[in-house]
Amino acid sequence: MKFIKLFSAALAVAASLSASGAQAVGWGIAESEHFIIYSDASVKDTRAYASKLENFYLVTGAFYDQMSDSVLPAYQKTRLNYFNDISEFRVVRPDLDGHAFTPSLYCTEGTQYFSTADAQSNNNLYGQGLLDPDIDLNLAYMFFAYNDHVLHERFAKLPSWVRSGLNWYFMTAVFKDGEIFIGKPPPNIAMSFTAFGTDDLTYRKNFTPYADRIAGKAVPPGKADMVALQNWVMVSYLMSDPTRREKLVAYLRLVESGMDSLEAYNKTIAIEPESYGDILKTYVKSGVTYQKYKVSSLSDAAVTISDLPNYNYNVPLIDAALQTCPKKDDGLRLLSTMHKVAPQFPDDSLSQMALARAEVRFGDPEAALPYLTQRLAANPKDIDAQFLLGRLYIALAEHGPEEKRTQNYASARRELGKAYQLNPSSAPTLYFYARAFADKPDYPNENTMNALLLAQDYSGGSYDMYEAELDLRKGDYGAAQTIVDKALTLVTKETNKDCVKILNDLHDSLAARKPKADILPLFARYTSTDE
């Protein structure tokens, strides 16, 4: 069983939850100004959840407006999947052990967010009464994951210590008595909760050097909890005072301009890095300065909630799962399920779209063509359908008949170009558009590289391995190896074993400067395994 750790880099991978006996009340869809929420919770709970998300969006936005001069425009509302019982998450990841759960799943297809009311049970079960009872862990997990998404929109270059620290800083937001408390940590902030009790990190002798965190050095093995705590301490201290916050903003702007992180820190913030250790001890002893703001609940009119059909299957979670790069066997099971469900609801757009996704990814892509064509004829500005149509032609070009490869790549470029016009800030659209030039003799050409670099900026570097492949194609073995070696430092026990083996093979092959023709199949294998 995986156990929640309050300060653990693995939280974004999995947290352990205790399943409740709550029964689904039927799926509905809620829509507010910035969010679309698929929910099987009650209307009251769903409305309250949407209200807290919107308030979180406004408050964090006020901070980031001061910290960043630009924001990546959002052409789609952010989708969340909100469900009562953790057992429902098995639809998305059936092979996770125990009651493991993750609030966000990232892959080449994009990002999906998940919330479960079961998360709050951890306050009593694993926190052993030590966590702040005012913190709703379901929201805390979501705030952590969603804030990371917001940071991608706001900052093209953000040092890892700031990104991590801001995620933890805003994660502990508390809604109480018409107010939101920002930067208010729970008691025992330096505690790591494990299956064997608690581990107080405050007095450890082997903290990593704070200067290493600022410089962006790799996290040493076994130090993820400590590094997360160190990141939080630095960001919390800087955010808690207006003058220090201004210096943090100045630092971020120098980093955005291309200056080395540690050099920019010394020119702006200039606090002796190792002094943060004493600041942590002061925090633990005397408490932390935090901020609070008045908030209000959204009016009923601000959140529209509609019932979805009685599927007898968790179709919203199936549709979400298909956008999280499930394993092939799991994808085939989802396809089989949608073959049963979709014909029962021919007028339901969600089930028809889920079937189309399943066909594109794991079945017959051409089977999805009539529905997507019909849907776009009815609404040419349907961002989701337009992207999936381009994705369909990528699947046909890469896995379909060789004699139609050139034609399908041309169709992919055409349809993904339309998708880009509808949603210019979509990293997946840009990524697949870059792949759509693979049949060109000068691949990777300028179009490919421009699309990839934008996708990397908009996603925070989610397509590193594709960048490494393109570096190799251009003959830059060193740049490719640097990316592969970085990926190896991020390997955890949850990492797909096949991916780890391929990464090691790539490292060895690149280091030995083997011919491109011998190495490129390894990148293809990695892509198919990772997707």
Side-chain angles (χ1 to χ4, degrees):
M1 176 179 286
K2 295 179 178 66
F3 289 83
I4 175 176
K5 293 184 177 182
L6 183 59
F7 274 99
S8 170
L11 179 140
V13 178
S16 175
L17 305 180
S18 171
S20 72
Q23 298 297 313
V25 296
W27 284 95
I29 180 171
E31 187 166 354
S32 61
E33 183 177 358
H34 300 101
F35 300 95
I36 291 176
I37 304 166
Y38 288 95
S39 171
D40 68 358
S42 68
V43 170
K44 178 182 177 181
D45 287 348
T46 301
R47 192 177 298 280
Y49 182 70
S51 180
K52 290 176 179 177
L53 284 171
E54 288 289 353
N55 276 307
F56 183 79
Y57 177 93
L58 292 174
V59 171
T60 55
F63 277 99
Y64 294 142
D65 282 344
Q66 301 171 24
M67 299 171 68
S68 172
D69 291 330
S70 61
V71 57
L72 188 65
Y75 296 86
Q76 281 184 298
K77 297 182 180 184
T78 301
R79 169 178 172 165
L80 297 103
N81 305 281
Y82 182 42
F83 46 95
N84 274 310
D85 198 314
I86 188 58
S87 64
E88 296 173 74
F89 193 67
R90 301 286 78 74
V91 173
V92 182
R93 286 294 183 267
D95 57 346
L96 283 183
D97 59 317
H99 297 296
F101 161 76
T102 177
S104 59
L105 288 172
Y106 306 85
C107 81
T108 55
E109 310 289 330
T111 304
Q112 288 289 307
Y113 298 99
F114 304 92
S115 287
T116 173
D118 273 345
Q120 184 54 22
S121 63
N122 269 334
N123 249 341
N124 297 320
L125 184 60
Y126 296 118
Q128 303 167 354
L130 295 175
L131 296 179
D132 188 338
D134 289 330
I135 291 179
D136 183 336
L137 281 179
N138 175 34
L139 285 171
Y141 293 144
M142 179 49 56
F143 289 162
F144 184 99
Y146 179 67
N147 189 68
D148 196 61
H149 164 79
V150 172
L151 292 177
H152 289 321
E153 293 183 335
R154 291 280 187 167
F155 302 95
K157 295 179 181 178
L158 192 63
S160 59
W161 71 273
V162 179
R163 181 180 301 282
S164 168
L166 285 171
N167 286 338
W168 289 111
Y169 181 77
F170 286 113
M171 173 188 179
T172 55
V174 167
F175 288 88
K176 188 176 182 180
D177 300 330
E179 294 180 317
I180 181 174
F181 299 83
I182 297 292
K184 178 179 181 288
N188 305 285
I189 190 64
M191 289 290 184
S192 174
F193 298 98
T194 72
F196 307 103
T198 58
D199 182 14
D200 188 345
L201 302 175
T202 313
Y203 302 104
R204 290 285 188 89
K205 303 292 185 183
N206 52 346
F207 274 104
T208 68
Y210 283 88
D212 286 357
R213 307 282 55 82
I214 297 167
K217 293 186 178 180
V219 177
K223 298 293 183 70
D225 284 4
M226 290 186 189
V227 167
L229 177 58
Q230 291 177 269
N231 294 337
W232 172 82
V233 170
M234 291 189 286
V235 168
S236 177
Y237 184 68
L238 296 172
M239 290 288 287
S240 63
D241 174 81
T243 301
R244 291 195 294 267
R245 192 159 61 241
E246 287 180 6
K247 292 180 179 180
L248 175 61
V249 171
Y251 158 77
L252 293 175
R253 288 179 175 169
L254 287 182
V255 172
E256 286 269 340
S257 71
M259 185 177 291
D260 171 78
S261 176
L262 192 55
E263 180 184 357
Y265 178 91
N266 290 330
K267 283 182 176 292
T268 53
I269 298 170
I271 295 171
E272 165 56 40
E274 301 318 308
S275 68
Y276 289 109
D278 293 330
I279 292 169
L280 170 59
K281 292 178 182 179
T282 301
Y283 274 5
V284 172
K285 182 179 179 180
S286 306
V288 178
T289 300
Y290 57 89
Q291 301 164 74
K292 64 179 181 180
Y293 303 89
K294 291 285 187 183
V295 295
S296 58
S297 298
L298 298 183
S299 67
D300 286 354
V303 183
T304 60
I305 301 179
S306 306
D307 289 335
L308 291 171
N310 182 16
Y311 302 113
N312 291 323
Y313 289 91
N314 289 311
V315 171
L317 291 180
I318 293 174
D319 183 61
L322 289 162
Q323 298 175 72
T324 65
C325 301
K327 295 178 180 178
K328 183 176 181 179
D329 288 347
D330 296 335
L332 289 172
R333 280 192 290 271
L334 296 174
L335 173 62
S336 177
T337 298
M338 290 316 303
H339 277 157
K340 300 173 187 175
V341 176
Q344 301 176 45
F345 305 97
D347 298 323
D348 174 57
S349 61
L350 180 64
S351 58
Q352 297 304 314
M353 199 65 175
L355 175 59
R357 288 191 218 282
E359 293 287 12
V360 169
R361 294 284 283 110
F362 300 102
D364 177 9
E366 289 186 320
L369 191 56
Y371 173 72
L372 293 176
T373 302
Q374 175 187 5
R375 182 162 167 158
L376 284 166
N379 179 13
K381 294 185 178 181
D382 188 323
I383 292 174
D384 205 15
Q386 186 62 63
F387 166 74
L388 190 58
L389 182 60
R391 181 70 180 87
L392 179 154
Y393 283 114
I394 287 287
L396 288 174
E398 294 180 348
H399 306 292
E402 180 63 28
E403 63 271 16
K404 292 186 177 181
R405 181 172 179 266
T406 299
Q407 175 186 337
N408 285 325
Y409 269 127
S411 297
R413 291 191 292 272
R414 181 185 68 244
E415 301 304 335
L416 288 168
K418 293 178 183 178
Y420 174 75
Q421 292 297 320
L422 294 173
N423 189 7
S425 59
S426 168
T429 296
L430 288 160
Y431 164 69
F432 285 109
Y433 183 73
R435 279 172 54 172
F437 286 88
D439 66 319
K440 295 295 184 181
D442 59 347
Y443 177 76
N445 57 24
E446 185 177 1
N447 279 326
T448 301
M449 297 309 301
N450 287 341
L452 168 64
L453 293 176
L454 282 174
Q456 287 283 69
D457 282 347
Y458 294 168
S459 68
S462 295
Y463 305 104
D464 281 349
M465 291 302 292
Y466 182 55
E467 184 174 351
E469 176 191 335
L470 297 189
D471 285 336
L472 175 65
R473 288 181 180 276
K474 293 187 297 179
D476 194 340
Y477 280 76
Q481 186 174 341
T482 297
I483 293 173
V484 169
D485 289 351
K486 178 184 175 182
L488 280 168
T489 67
L490 302 176
V491 165
T492 68
K493 62 182 180 181
E494 284 85 17
T495 305
N496 185 305
K497 291 181 179 178
D498 291 336
C499 286
V500 176
K501 183 180 185 308
I502 296 170
L503 285 173
N504 281 307
D505 290 344
L506 278 168
H507 166 83
D508 294 343
S509 299
L510 289 166
R513 298 300 192 263
K514 290 185 178 180
K516 295 180 191 178
D518 294 344
I519 304 177
L520 287 172
L522 291 174
F523 279 108
R525 282 174 52 203
Y526 183 89
T527 300
S528 63
T529 303
D530 190 44
E531 291 184 356

